[in-house]
Amino acid sequence: MPPNPEILLSHLSTFLTNTKRDDARFVSSLAQWTLAEEKEALGFSSFVEIRDCETGGKGVFATRPIPAGTCVLIEQPVVSVLDSDDISASFNHLDGGDSCALISKIISNWSPSIAHVLANLYPVRSGSPPTTAPDTASIPPTLRSALDDILPPHLPVDAVIKAVQLNSLGFYTFPELVSYNDHLRYLTGTGLYHYASHFNHSCRPNIHHFSIGTLSFFHTNRAIAENEQVCI
């Protein structure tokens, strides 16, 4: 079911309040205006659906022609970690530190919702490792052991680590500023999504996203044909 807009705004309001920044009121007002304009896209709109891909994973496909500029999804991550969190700072020195920080957050916030998302992500769902994937050896042994302790038998630790590395998605508020200034890092981070983590990557994407705090909005950047895969 699509998420309740009041719940999304409540989560966003709490997030902004916790940042204790002067611009939180502006960002919250912008979010409320945007949600009012695009509330029909909460959860996937009827323009798109998740389907199996030939690669063994899943992807997002157009159910009918989609005009350029259409909002097809508004979503918050099921689990996320901010770049400004202490947990992120502790992994900054590692290659793939953002994945390590997110795995640590998964461990500390383990829930049936997180388990459900992981079970449906590639390569966990396919039951076999991908032909190319990040090296799970880059994960600290203590973190790997803690993850292994909480995972049920149907979620192999290597596959879960690869799923996090391959399917996590960053969120960036005012990205043109974040690129050059660290003072907005409290509005940037990485997360796993129930829907958005199924967008596959393309060097020529037909969709883009922007974020307000942890809330991300996904729009088409060109017209998309029926049955065409929607890639980010």
Side-chain angles (χ1 to χ4, degrees):
M1 292 180 60
N4 184 300
E6 285 73 23
I7 293 177
L8 283 177
L9 279 177
S10 175
H11 286 317
L12 182 59
S13 177
T14 300
F15 167 79
L16 293 168
T17 300
N18 289 341
T19 65
K20 299 179 181 179
R21 295 292 299 241
D22 293 338
D23 53 354
R25 181 177 300 177
F26 163 73
V27 177
S28 182
S29 297
L30 179 61
Q32 292 186 51
W33 172 81
T34 306
L35 279 176
E37 292 294 310
E38 300 177 339
K39 60 185 178 181
E40 291 184 1
L42 288 167
F44 268 136
S45 73
S46 58
F47 280 108
V48 292
E49 65 182 8
I50 297 173
R51 300 178 189 169
D52 291 334
C53 293
E54 294 179 356
T55 57
K58 290 187 175 182
V60 179
F61 293 82
T63 59
R64 61 182 188 271
I66 309 176
T70 301
C71 183
V72 298
L73 174 66
I74 302 173
E75 188 179 18
Q76 281 191 305
V78 175
V79 59
S80 63
V81 61
L82 297 173
D83 291 339
S84 59
D85 284 353
D86 291 339
I87 190 174
S88 293
S90 63
F91 295 109
N92 277 346
H93 64 290
L94 298 174
D95 183 25
D98 54 345
S99 294
C100 291
L102 187 56
I103 289 171
S104 182
K105 200 65 175 286
I106 287 172
I107 293 169
S108 61
N109 291 271
W110 184 252
S111 69
S113 295
I114 295 175
H116 176 74
V117 168
L118 288 170
N120 283 282
L121 291 178
Y122 183 74
V124 178
R125 180 179 177 273
S126 68
S128 59
T131 54
T132 59
D135 183 8
T136 58
S138 63
I139 305 298
T142 53
L143 195 61
R144 179 189 178 88
S145 177
L147 180 62
D148 196 20
D149 286 343
I150 66 166
L151 292 176
H154 70 284
L155 296 177
V157 63
D158 279 346
V160 166
I161 290 172
K162 290 176 182 176
V164 172
Q165 293 172 319
L166 293 171
N167 298 286
S168 59
L169 187 65
F171 50 87
Y172 312 95
T173 305
F174 309 130
E176 70 280 5
L177 300 180
V178 173
S179 298
Y180 303 101
N181 298 283
D182 280 345
H183 71 279
L184 287 175
R185 286 176 66 81
Y186 79 101
L187 287 174
T188 72
T190 305
L192 279 180
Y193 296 76
H194 181 72
Y195 295 115
S197 286
H198 291 288
F199 285 119
N200 288 315
H201 172 75
S202 171
C203 294
R204 301 183 66 182
N206 51 21
I207 196 169
H208 70 277
H209 77 290
F210 70 92
S211 304
I212 302 172
T214 53
L215 193 63
S216 291
F217 302 78
F218 298 80
H219 289 75
T220 56
N221 55 28
R222 65 167 174 80
I224 299 176
E226 183 177 357
N227 295 320
E228 182 180 352
Q229 187 170 181
V230 182
C231 295
I232 198 165

